[in-house]
Amino acid sequence: GAGVSQSPSNKVTEKGKDVELRCDPISGHTALYWYRQRLGQGLEFLIYFQGNSAPDKSGLPSDRFSAERTGESVSTLTIQRTQQEDSAVYLCASSHNQGSETQYFGPGTRLLVL
Amino acid sequence: DQQVKQNSPSLSVQEGRISILNCDYTNSMFDYFLWYKKYPAEGPTFLISISSIKDKNEDGRFTVFLNKSAKHLSLHIVPSQPGDSAVYFCAASALWNYGGSQGNLIFGKGTKLSVKP
């Protein structure tokens, strides 16, 4: 079946602009996660959604970052007033449920803030 | 403060030999560990996992060993193949210790494996 998809695959923006990143999880997966990977670093947890429960936002680095998810489908990660340090690969993952051990990742969105 | 550490940024191995990738963690609440493989311009791909109730899990050429007392795990690949060349990430979660509510993964910085023909 189809895996996790993300769009756009690449995004170049100017400092101060807002960007919106999209994630389509695997159908039937109730848990959805956002991570980012800055150059030379490991993956950094940002936020996760589980069904209709309140999301765990504990990893969001600042209030410029927000994310939404409609039911158990698409999620969007929004970064407002982008800064150069926001440049990273933003990865989305989904799993069958929050107790499921394996998260399946999308290809990522490469964001470059000039 | 890194909770998951991969102290070797790179590793080079000859084809056919064993590759051993190491990972250390500090949080004793971690109870589930995973290895992901990542090729350039792709998302991480799940490779193998182990729960804290086991000390070894094997899947084909890949074996993960867990030493809870040392808070150390390792991934063995044998025999190594050129197609195994990728960045390998160790990840951990406190999946069961918090009743499934801490499923977000904590990743190490990765080890770049190069398998030479």
Side-chain angles (χ1 to χ4, degrees):
Chain A
V4 177
S5 61
Q6 292 184 246
S7 61
S9 54
N10 293 280
K11 176 72 176 177
V12 181
T13 191
E14 292 179 348
K15 177 181 172 180
K17 295 282 181 71
D18 298 351
V19 295
E20 192 171 278
L21 313 179
R22 176 187 168 110
C23 172
D24 284 89
I26 293 172
S27 177
H29 280 192
T30 60
L32 185 148
Y33 304 79
W34 283 98
Y35 296 85
R36 75 175 174 182
Q37 184 183 17
R38 292 194 270 192
L39 191 64
Q41 302 296 312
L43 279 73
E44 174 189 4
F45 166 74
L46 297 176
I47 186 172
Y48 98 90
F49 299 87
Q50 170 56 40
N52 294 319
S53 303
D56 176 354
K57 304 180 182 180
S58 60
L60 293 179
S62 78
D63 58 8
R64 296 186 295 105
F65 287 71
S66 63
E68 293 183 349
R69 187 181 186 196
T70 306
E72 295 182 354
S73 60
V74 172
S75 175
T76 55
L77 176 69
T78 301
I79 309 173
Q80 296 177 308
R81 305 181 302 281
T82 53
Q83 303 294 312
Q84 289 182 331
E85 62 264 27
D86 299 334
S87 297
V89 177
Y90 288 82
L91 289 152
C92 175
S94 69
S95 66
H96 192 259
N97 56 54
Q98 73 177 17
S100 175
E101 302 90 347
T102 304
Q103 297 177 22
Y104 297 90
F105 284 81
T109 293
R110 282 147 196 80
L111 175 66
L112 177 61
V113 182
L114 300 176
Chain B
D1 181 32
Q2 276 191 277
Q3 296 187 69
V4 177
K5 299 178 184 178
Q6 294 177 257
N7 292 319
S8 298
S10 63
L11 175 68
S12 183
V13 172
Q14 203 69 32
E15 180 180 6
R17 307 297 288 268
I18 186 171
S19 295
I20 300 177
L21 298 108
N22 293 303
C23 178
D24 297 289
Y25 61 97
T26 58
N27 190 341
S28 58
M29 296 303 285
F30 287 148
D31 52 18
Y32 198 76
F33 306 88
L34 307 89
W35 284 94
Y36 283 83
K37 179 169 73 171
K38 187 179 185 300
Y39 293 116
E42 295 184 11
T45 303
F46 170 73
L47 197 56
I48 193 169
S49 62
I50 189 167
S51 75
S52 58
I53 61 173
K54 294 187 175 181
D55 54 20
K56 177 183 174 181
N57 188 27
E58 191 172 350
D59 183 3
R61 296 185 298 115
F62 302 92
T63 303
V64 56
F65 295 92
L66 175 63
N67 182 333
K68 288 189 291 294
S69 61
K71 293 192 178 68
H72 176 84
L73 64 155
S74 61
L75 174 68
H76 292 209
I77 307 173
V78 56
S80 302
Q81 300 173 353
D84 296 330
S85 297
V87 177
Y88 288 77
F89 289 98
C90 170
S93 73
L95 189 64
W96 304 114
N97 276 332
Y98 290 107
S101 66
Q102 297 289 325
N104 51 290
L105 297 174
I106 309 299
F107 283 83
K109 291 188 176 182
T111 297
K112 183 177 182 179
L113 174 66
S114 299
V115 180
K116 302 190 183 304

